[in-house]
C-alpha cells in the first residue's frame, strides 16, 4: 500500500465543488486552520515545513521577515545588508521583490538536510518515502525539475509588485496560465511515476501552479476557474493509478481569492479517517503517520533481470541471421 499526498498550493475549500471537482474533494474533504506569518497572511515559505514537521514556524525556524522576504536565505543575505544599512527601511520590500524577480534567488530552496542538522523530525524519517518539490524540503539542491525551472524563468510573466493586488502582476496572463499548468502537470506526472514504480510507502508531490494563477487571476478572473477544472482532471489521473489498498490525500497551505491568500487551508482524501484527524496544518503530519503505522505500507518495487551472456549471444545470432546485424 502507498499513501500518496498531493500538496496543492492555494487549493481553496471555498472554490471546490463536489459536482464540478469530484477529484479535488475525493471521498471526504474539509476546511482546516492555517497559520499567519508576520505579514498577516499565510506564507508558503513557512507552511510547507509546518505540514511535513507538525511544528509551527517559530519552532522549525523557517520564517519570513515583516516585509515578506526570507532574508535568511544565503542568496538574499547581500540584499538584506544593503536594505538594512544603505537604503531606508521602507525600500526593503521593493529590494526583495526585485531580487526575486530578476535573479535566480528562490526563497523555497532550504535543503532537506536542514531538519536533521537542527534536530527536527519530519514525516519522511525512517520511511521509504519520495518527497517531490516540497518548498523548503529540497532533497538535492543541485537538481531542478521542470516546474522549478519554469518558475525561475517567469520574468515579467510573474513579477512581484507590492502595489498590485495580491502583490504580483503578469505582462501576459494567457501565456502565464499555460506555464503554470505545465508546472502542475510536470509535478503530478512525477508523483504518478513514483506511485506506479511501487517502490515507496509514502509519495508526497507538491505543485505551485494553482497558487501562481490565483495571484494574477484578478487580471482575468476566469483563469482560476479554468485552473481548478484542469487540476481536477490531473488529480483524476493520479486517482486512476491507485491500487485498491492505496490512499490519496490532498492538502493545501492556504486558500487564495481575488489575488490574496485566505486564512483557511484544505484537506481531502480517499480515506475519510485521515480527514477526520486533521483540524489544522499542524495535524497533518500526525494523521499521515497514523495511516502509515496502521497498515504495512512497505513496497517490494519492481525488479528486472538482465539477460546473461548466453542469452545475449543467442539474440545477437538471431539478429545476424535476420540481417539486422553483421
Amino acid at each position: 500500500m502507498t499513501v500518496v499526498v498531493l500538496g496543492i498550493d492555494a487549493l481553496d475549500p471555498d472554490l471546490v465543488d463536489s459536482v464540478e471537482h469530484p477529484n479535488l474533494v475525493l471521498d471526504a474533504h474539509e476546511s482546516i486552520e492555517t497559520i499567519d506569518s508576520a505579514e498577516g497572511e499565510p506564507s508558503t515559505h513557512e507552511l510547507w515545513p509546518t505540514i511535513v514537521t507538525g511544528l509551527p514556524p517559530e519552532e522549525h525556524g523557517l520564517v519570513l521577515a515583516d516585509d515578506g522576504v526570507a532574508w535568511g536565505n544565503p542568496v538574499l543575505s547581500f540584499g538584506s545588508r544593503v536594505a538594512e544599512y544603505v537604503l531606508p527601511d521602507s525600500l526593503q520590500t521593493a529590494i526583495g521583490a526585485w531580487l526575486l524577480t530578476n535573479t535566480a534567488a528562490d526563497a523555497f530552496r532550504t535543503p532537506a538536510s536542514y531538519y536533521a542538522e537542527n534536530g527536527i523530525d519530519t514525516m519522511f524519517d525512517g520511511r521509504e518515502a519520495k518527497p517531490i518539490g516540497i518548498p523548503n524540503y529540497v532533497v538535492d539542491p543541485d537538481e531542478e525539475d521542470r516546474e522549478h525551472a519554469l518558475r525561475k524563468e517567469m520574468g515579467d510573466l510573474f513579477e512581484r509588485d507590492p502595489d498590485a493586488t495580491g502583490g504580483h502582476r503578469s505582462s501576459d496572463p494567457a501565456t502565464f496560465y499555460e506555464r503554470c499548468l505545465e508546472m502542475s502537470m510536470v509535478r503530478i506526472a512525477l508523483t504518478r511515476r513514483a506511485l506506479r514504480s511501487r517502490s515507496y510507502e509514502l509519495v508526497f508531490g507538491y505543485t505551485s501552479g494553482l497558487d501562481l494563477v490565483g495571484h494574477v487571476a484578478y487580471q482575468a478572473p476566469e483563469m482560476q476557474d479554468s485552473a481548478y477544472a484542469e487540476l481536477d482532471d490531473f488529480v483524476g489521473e493520479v486517482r486512476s493509478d491507485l491500487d485498491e489498498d492505496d490512499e490519496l490525500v490532498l492538502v493545501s497551505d492556504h486558500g487564495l481569492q481575488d489575488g490574496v491568500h485566505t486564512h483557511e487551508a484544505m484537506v481531502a482524501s480517499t480515506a475519510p479517517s485521515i480527514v477526520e484527524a486533521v483540524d489544522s496544518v499542524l495535524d497533518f503530519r500526525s494523521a499521515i503517520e497514523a495511516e502509515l503505522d496502521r497498515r504495512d505500507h512497505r513496497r517490494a518495487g519492481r525488479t528486472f533481470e538482465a539477460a546473461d551472456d548466453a542469452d545475449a549471444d543467442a539474440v545477437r545470432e538471431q539478429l545476424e541471421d535476420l540481417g539486422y546485424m553483421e
Side-chain angles (χ1 to χ4, degrees):
M1 176 179 177
T2 300
V3 174
V4 182
V5 177
L6 275 177
I8 303 178
D9 203 301
L11 184 64
D12 193 308
D14 292 337
L15 300 182
V16 296
D17 180 272
S18 298
V19 175
E20 294 183 6
H21 311 124
N23 297 309
L24 297 182
V25 301
L26 299 173
D27 295 325
H29 72 286
E30 290 289 345
S31 168
I32 61 175
E33 295 179 1
T34 188
I35 300 170
D36 288 347
S37 70
E39 279 194 295
E41 68 175 44
S43 160
T44 292
H45 176 82
E46 298 182 351
L47 287 170
W48 292 99
T50 288
I51 287 168
V52 302
T53 65
L55 298 175
E58 62 270 20
E59 292 188 27
H60 62 60
L62 295 168
V63 297
L64 291 179
D66 291 342
D67 61 2
V69 179
W71 293 112
N73 184 318
V75 181
L76 301 183
S77 60
F78 172 75
S80 177
R81 292 193 296 274
V82 170
E84 184 176 354
Y85 296 113
V86 178
L87 298 175
D89 290 343
S90 61
L91 295 182
Q92 187 161 337
T93 296
I95 291 173
W98 186 91
L99 283 167
L100 293 177
T101 298
N102 295 283
T103 75
D106 190 331
F108 306 148
R109 296 287 289 176
T110 302
S113 59
Y114 166 88
Y115 299 87
E117 290 169 358
N118 288 275
I120 300 170
D121 297 332
T122 76
M123 64 171 61
F124 306 115
D125 297 343
R127 299 191 184 277
E128 296 169 353
K130 181 69 171 179
I132 301 169
I134 302 169
N136 288 328
Y137 191 95
V138 181
V139 176
D140 186 347
D142 294 327
E143 288 189 358
E144 296 180 356
D145 65 16
R146 181 64 175 160
E147 169 160 334
H148 187 249
L150 283 169
R151 184 169 182 132
K152 287 174 61 177
E153 296 166 3
M154 284 292 186
D156 62 4
L157 289 176
F158 188 64
E159 289 189 304
R160 292 171 65 93
D161 181 354
D163 296 324
T165 301
H168 298 82
R169 59 186 170 85
S170 177
S171 62
D172 183 348
T175 300
F176 172 69
Y177 176 87
E178 293 301 323
R179 294 273 185 93
C180 292
L181 271 291
E182 180 182 345
M183 290 165 61
S184 293
M185 292 181 75
V186 165
R187 285 280 172 80
I188 290 175
L190 290 172
T191 303
R192 292 184 69 192
R193 187 65 253 152
L195 167 63
R196 292 170 69 95
S197 75
R198 303 300 169 190
S199 298
Y200 306 102
E201 55 183 319
L202 173 62
V203 176
F204 192 136
Y206 164 88
T207 179
S208 62
L210 186 65
D211 177 82
L212 299 185
V213 167
H215 276 297
V216 300
Y218 68 91
Q219 295 180 254
E222 67 277 8
M223 285 173 55
Q224 197 169 29
D225 293 339
S226 180
Y228 271 79
E230 291 207 59
L231 272 171
D232 185 74
D233 290 340
F234 301 162
V235 175
E237 294 171 354
V238 180
R239 197 175 186 180
S240 70
D241 287 335
L242 299 176
D243 282 348
E244 185 176 350
D245 57 354
D246 295 331
E247 302 293 357
L248 175 61
V249 188
L250 311 183
V251 65
S252 67
D253 49 347
H254 54 74
L256 202 160
Q257 299 178 35
D258 302 318
V260 179
H261 290 178
T262 64
H263 300 275
E264 57 181 351
M266 176 179 160
V267 64
S269 181
T270 54
S273 60
I274 294 177
V275 174
E276 292 168 3
V278 181
D279 294 321
S280 158
V281 290
L282 293 167
D283 302 325
F284 189 77
R285 174 192 171 187
S286 62
I288 296 300
E289 289 182 334
E291 176 63 23
L292 290 167
D293 292 341
R294 186 176 67 87
R295 301 169 65 178
D296 183 3
H297 297 269
R298 290 171 297 178
R299 305 308 302 250
R302 290 194 178 97
T303 57
F304 298 99
E305 294 184 5
D308 59 28
D309 291 341
D311 291 337
D313 290 342
V315 170
R316 181 181 180 86
E317 289 177 7
Q318 185 175 20
L319 291 174
E320 290 175 346
D321 292 342
L322 292 171
Y324 292 111
M325 297 181 66
E326 296 181 355

